Amino acid sequence: MTAMFRPPIAVTSAIGWPQVFGFRHDGDPFYARVRAAQMAALNRYVPFNVAVMSLNIAALVWTLRDSSDVAFVLAWGAVMGAIAVLWTLRWRAISARGEASEVNLRQFWAISAEVAAFGLCWAVMVLRVMPTADPAMQALLVLLSVVAMGACGFAASVLPVCAMSLVASIGLATIIAIPGDSPLATPTVFLALLTFAIVIGRGVLVTSFSMMSRMRTQSDLADRTDIVRLLLNEFETNASDWLIEVDAVGRLTHVSPRLADVARRSRGELLGQPLLSLLGDEKRGEARSAVKALGNIFRAQRPFRDVSVPVLVAGETRWWALSGTPKTDPAGNFAGYRGVGRDVTEVRRSHERIAQLARFDPLTGLANRVLFRETLDDALARAVRTQRGCALLFIDLDRFKLVNDTLGHMAGDRLLRDVALRLRDAVGGAATIGRLGGDEFAVVLHDASALRAEAVAAAIVSALSRPFAIEGQSATIGASIGYAIGPKDGASVDRLLKSADLALYEVKSSGRGAACRFVPEIRNRAEERLAMESDLARALERGELALAFQPVVEASDEHIVGFEALLRWNHAVLGNVPPVKFIPVAEETGLIIPIGHWVIETACAWAARWPDHVRVAINLSPAQIEDPLLVTTVQRAIDDNALDPGRIELEITESLFLNEKPATVETLAQLKALGIRFALDDFGTGYSSLGYLQRAAFSRIKIDRSFVSRSTDANGEASAIIQAIVTLAHSLDMATTAEGTETRAEFELCRQLGCEQVQGYLFGRPMPPEEATALVRVYEVAA
């Protein structure tokens, strides 16, 4: 299709050219309605067509009354008159009975044939009369032909076939009939006639297609309107949402059954009521804002979506979400709103519950970590702005895990709730209490001085030290508190949190059950410790760790029977770091595990160079006993150095048995199965128990140096303790070693009391492994 004949209207359903020209209906009743509309349009122009046609016919017959071919003219006039009469009679009949709603193809083509016959009759007349007519008559015929083409083309503009055949037949006959010697026989006249015919043809096509497209669109819209109406009826009947309509002043003009149900009022009662009058008390905070916002939207006549408003329903405040679109009257004036609404009360309550859970601890009702941090941020900002301090208290419950493990998690939860109640009583007002997780709590004191923070901390310690009644049993826990004052101890939230945390760590390290305020020295020690942790992690690879060996001698003849392996750290900057400083760090950080592997392997490698009767003693921390690779490491050290397992003595302390676990017992059993011996170190200073002495099957008890150093005192108390330990050890078939023997008098007394072996500066300080090896060889030569 060329651009000239392309239809100007886009339709949703395709209309083909066969349907435009009327060749088929394809079983679609829509086209039967189209044919009826085409016939109705043609019939509306019958009076005009007949009038124009009658004038043309009368003018021609009168003009040609004296021609030689008058008989033809009269016969032609009679035929054309009969057609005019036929059309007039049909027009009157249709006007009387009404236009048909559908027309079939046979009826359509019958009418089309009549119009085409009119065109053929006119063409025959032109072909018959034009060649013999004088120039004036030829001009008149051309003019009348143009009028006929225009009038009939306009009247039949919605019937492409008959209109185009009529125009084509008249136009072509006129062009053909003009004699060659006629003044009208010029290209201009021919081109004008052809152009006029083409323009009429295009107008007919466009008009026909536009009418059919419009009818198709109206049909589709009618179908969709029926569907929408059906869906709206279904929506109003069964949906949980409802439709609302209000007029220009906000009065309800349509009330669906669902709306009446949720409002718990009759439809008649609601009709005509202002929508805003249904809303809740607008004097309350959020409700007031919502009602005010909806009123502003109504006044601005703007569309709105999901505006939540409170509604008072049977004494209960419910929440509705309303959406609406402005509607207009035929004149384009604002006529109100049409929209939907739904009850969102339960959804709103769920969101409020989620918000509650997101900011408050569900167990205790205290602020959770997120809300507590926000509160601390606000309090610290206020303190900076007003130059008045705020206090942060970190609270850690003592012995809570014991209660939780003993009485169960339900009892633990009950205890935490009771702790929260006591905290509220102890803290008082102008404070925010939070549960940060587990048994960790925190308090923010707004506008608080150091004196008030100290008083509150003391009150909390006192309150939480009193017994709790849990499920008929008494449980005593206690609390450790570290606190800091902002902005002095931290001008940022993170800095203040860190300060309070360091203070808490300090009090927990000092014995718990107390409160400690942060001071800069605490941070300095923490930073030193952090630096030590970092350096200790790389000490092995840097070669900074070494072993020193202190001799153990037989009390009877003073010959060397073993060495105790002692770990030393020669820091590149700090120099020799005392074991009392770095061993606890290694144990707490877990570095004791890889370091312990290295100590075992290195100590066994040196022991392999000593005489067979010289053993090596290696200290094990409780953390190493829980190392799953400990047994494998010891076995590999024995195998790699071809060392007799009986020459290895592992020294452990009594603290290992405080929380004795099945895995600990199993590890000790596996080591004993290798042939390893055990020595109990620092006996008498811890939690001594005869039970674990038997279970661990120690081969030796080492008497702590604190007793040895006081053994020669006049009161004799320490010597009595040594005597008792020796007697106990002998009764259990164990040997004893006196540690810290520094003087001959101490040695003689320990030997007299029955100690089999001694160890101390009297017989040698800890020495490098090369010196220890040389020393034992000297003893061997002397022996």
Side-chain angles (χ1 to χ4, degrees):
M1 185 187 299
T2 65
M4 177 177 289
F5 294 103
R6 184 175 294 118
I9 297 177
V11 291
T12 56
S13 300
I15 297 176
W17 285 117
Q19 286 77 27
V20 173
F21 285 104
F23 290 118
R24 66 172 185 263
H25 285 177
D26 293 333
D28 189 346
F30 164 74
Y31 290 107
R33 296 195 297 271
V34 170
R35 308 308 171 205
Q38 291 174 320
M39 295 297 100
L42 181 65
N43 190 63
R44 282 196 298 273
Y45 294 110
V46 165
F48 172 77
N49 282 349
V50 169
V52 173
M53 184 174 64
S54 299
L55 289 174
N56 283 355
I57 294 171
L60 279 175
V61 172
W62 176 259
T63 302
L64 297 174
R65 67 185 184 279
D66 295 329
S67 67
S68 58
D69 205 2
V70 67
F72 170 78
V73 172
L74 293 175
W76 175 82
V79 172
M80 297 297 279
I83 293 175
V85 171
L86 174 64
W87 288 354
T88 302
L89 292 176
R90 182 184 295 117
W91 173 78
R92 295 186 63 182
I94 293 175
S95 299
R97 69 171 184 267
E99 296 174 350
S101 60
E102 294 185 357
V103 171
N104 57 38
L105 279 177
R106 184 182 60 79
Q107 294 171 313
F108 172 79
W109 282 110
I111 299 300
S112 297
E114 293 178 7
V115 176
F118 170 81
L120 289 174
C121 289
W122 191 280
V124 169
M125 181 273 296
V126 171
L127 290 172
R128 179 71 176 267
V129 176
M130 181 75 76
T132 60
D134 56 47
M137 178 56 66
Q138 291 175 355
L140 178 62
L141 287 174
V142 170
L143 176 62
L144 292 177
S145 295
V146 170
V147 172
M149 285 191 294
C152 294
F154 172 75
S157 60
V158 293
L159 292 104
V161 172
C162 60
M164 294 177 70
S165 62
L166 182 147
V167 171
S169 59
I170 295 176
L172 289 175
T174 302
I175 293 174
I176 294 172
I178 296 175
D181 58 351
S182 171
L184 298 177
T186 63
T188 302
V189 173
F190 295 156
L191 183 60
L193 287 172
L194 181 60
T195 301
F196 185 69
I198 291 175
V199 169
I200 293 176
R202 183 188 185 280
V204 167
L205 286 176
V206 170
T207 302
S208 300
F209 190 89
S210 298
M211 185 200 75
M212 297 180 71
S213 299
R214 183 170 57 255
M215 290 185 66
R216 170 63 79 184
T217 301
Q218 292 172 347
S219 176
D220 292 345
L221 288 177
D223 292 342
R224 293 175 185 175
T225 300
D226 291 340
I227 294 173
V228 169
R229 186 178 295 108
L230 178 64
L231 292 176
L232 286 177
N233 291 335
E234 178 70 17
F235 177 85
E236 287 195 326
T237 303
N238 300 316
S240 59
D241 295 1
W242 61 84
L243 300 177
I244 56 172
E245 284 192 33
V246 298
D247 59 16
V249 294
R251 292 188 299 256
L252 288 167
T253 58
H254 173 80
V255 178
S256 64
R258 178 61 182 164
L259 173 57
D261 289 342
V262 297
R264 300 182 188 177
R265 298 167 70 177
S266 66
R267 297 177 65 186
E269 184 181 359
L270 291 174
L271 278 172
Q273 287 288 324
L275 177 61
L276 295 179
S277 69
L278 300 179
L279 306 185
D281 183 4
E282 62 178 82
K283 294 182 180 181
R284 296 181 302 149
E286 187 178 4
R288 177 182 180 185
S289 299
V291 174
K292 184 177 180 180
L294 187 61
N296 291 337
I297 291 173
F298 275 22
R299 284 188 287 272
Q301 301 176 8
R302 300 193 310 267
F304 57 95
R305 181 177 180 83
D306 288 335
V307 175
S308 294
V309 293
V311 183
L312 195 61
V313 178
E316 177 190 7
T317 299
R318 308 286 295 179
W319 284 85
W320 292 357
L322 303 178
S323 301
T325 302
K327 60 180 182 179
T328 57
D329 58 19
N333 299 318
F334 174 72
Y337 282 94
R338 180 183 292 111
V340 296
R342 67 180 185 277
D343 191 307
V344 294
T345 305
E346 298 306 322
V347 174
R348 185 181 180 87
R349 289 173 180 171
S350 297
H351 289 171
E352 290 174 351
R353 177 59 177 163
I354 292 172
Q356 174 79 9
L357 293 175
R359 298 174 67 81
F360 291 89
D361 175 48
L363 179 63
T364 62
L366 301 177
N368 65 5
R369 185 180 295 272
V370 175
L371 178 57
F372 186 83
R373 185 181 177 92
E374 292 176 0
T375 304
L376 177 59
D377 194 4
D378 293 340
L380 187 57
R382 176 185 174 87
V384 172
R385 187 173 62 254
T386 62
Q387 297 300 309
R388 301 179 63 182
C390 68
L392 170 64
L393 287 72
F394 271 178
I395 306 164
D396 187 67
L397 302 184
D398 301 332
R399 298 180 296 279
F400 171 76
K401 186 177 185 301
L402 178 62
V403 175
N404 203 45
D405 293 344
T406 303
L407 301 181
H409 293 293
M410 295 294 290
D413 290 346
R414 172 64 184 277
L415 178 58
L416 291 174
R417 286 192 290 267
D418 290 348
V419 166
L421 293 176
R422 291 196 186 183
L423 284 175
R424 290 190 178 99
D425 293 338
V427 171
T432 299
I433 307 173
R435 180 183 175 219
L436 306 184
D439 61 345
E440 298 177 356
F441 294 82
V443 176
V444 172
L445 300 178
H446 306 269
D447 297 332
S449 63
L451 288 177
R452 184 182 175 220
E454 181 181 2
V456 171
I460 293 174
V461 171
S462 175
L464 298 185
S465 64
R466 298 194 304 270
F468 290 83
I470 306 295
E471 297 182 354
Q473 300 187 51
S474 178
T476 302
I477 51 172
S480 299
I481 301 177
Y483 65 95
I485 308 299
K488 179 180 180 181
D489 298 333
S492 67
V493 170
D494 291 333
R495 186 75 170 179
L496 191 60
L497 288 169
K498 185 62 177 177
S499 296
D501 192 42
L502 289 173
L504 177 60
Y505 180 82
E506 184 77 8
V507 72
K508 288 167 66 175
S509 301
S510 303
R512 298 177 174 270
C516 175
R517 180 185 172 181
F518 171 82
V519 292
E521 290 75 11
I522 294 177
R523 176 173 283 116
N524 294 338
R525 289 196 294 269
E527 291 174 351
E528 290 177 1
R529 177 186 174 86
L530 184 61
M532 182 176 292
E533 290 178 4
S534 176
D535 292 342
L536 186 58
R538 292 174 291 178
L540 266 179
E541 63 184 60
R542 291 176 175 177
E544 296 177 352
L545 297 181
L547 289 182
F549 293 92
Q550 186 175 29
V552 178
V553 302
E554 188 71 27
S556 60
D557 56 8
E558 302 184 22
H559 73 275
I560 296 177
V561 293
F563 288 94
E564 180 181 359
L566 301 171
L567 184 61
R568 295 293 183 262
W569 181 15
N570 185 20
H571 193 279
V573 177
L574 302 177
N576 291 322
V577 182
V580 70
K581 292 187 66 175
F582 74 83
I583 292 296
V585 174
E587 290 178 335
E588 293 180 17
T589 59
L591 292 172
I592 194 66
I593 301 302
I595 292 175
H597 292 174
W598 177 84
V599 169
I600 292 172
E601 294 167 354
T602 305
C604 290
W606 281 106
R609 306 181 187 186
W610 304 334
D612 293 342
H613 70 277
V614 179
R615 68 179 184 274
V616 61
I618 303 171
N619 291 281
L620 287 183
S621 73
Q624 288 178 273
I625 296 295
E626 297 181 3
D627 175 19
L629 298 178
L630 175 62
V631 177
T632 303
T633 301
V634 174
Q635 180 68 68
R636 183 173 60 249
I638 292 173
D639 295 341
D640 290 347
N641 297 286
L643 194 65
D644 179 6
R647 296 178 57 196
I648 301 175
E649 190 172 77
L650 299 179
E651 295 186 5
I652 55 180
T653 61
E654 294 171 301
S655 60
L656 174 67
F657 300 95
L658 286 178
N659 296 307
E660 187 176 353
K661 303 175 182 178
T664 301
V665 176
E666 177 64 23
T667 299
L668 293 176
Q670 292 179 10
L671 291 171
K672 186 174 180 60
L674 295 179
I676 302 296
R677 297 184 180 185
F678 295 101
L680 182 59
D681 199 10
D682 300 333
F683 183 78
T685 61
Y687 305 88
S688 303
S689 169
L690 296 178
Y692 65 69
L693 286 176
Q694 292 179 319
R695 288 198 303 275
F698 292 100
S699 61
R700 182 177 307 279
I701 294 177
K702 300 188 73 173
I703 302 172
D704 187 69
R705 69 186 64 196
S706 62
F707 300 117
V708 175
S709 63
R710 293 184 288 113
S711 61
T712 57
D713 292 350
N715 58 21
E717 180 181 342
S719 60
I721 294 175
I722 295 175
Q723 179 67 64
I725 294 175
V726 170
T727 302
L728 173 63
H730 290 171
S731 66
L732 295 174
D733 197 23
M734 299 178 187
T736 56
T737 297
E739 292 185 291
T741 305
E742 299 184 359
T743 66
R744 175 59 62 173
E746 291 171 355
F747 168 67
E748 294 296 344
L749 180 58
C750 288
R751 180 164 58 179
Q752 180 182 344
L753 292 175
C755 294
E756 288 86 354
Q757 296 172 358
V758 292
Q759 176 182 350
Y761 289 172
L762 178 63
F763 298 99
R765 293 176 177 271
M767 61 191 71
E770 295 83 2
E771 292 184 16
T773 303
L775 180 62
V776 76
R777 288 174 179 169
V778 170
Y779 269 81
E780 286 298 311
V781 172

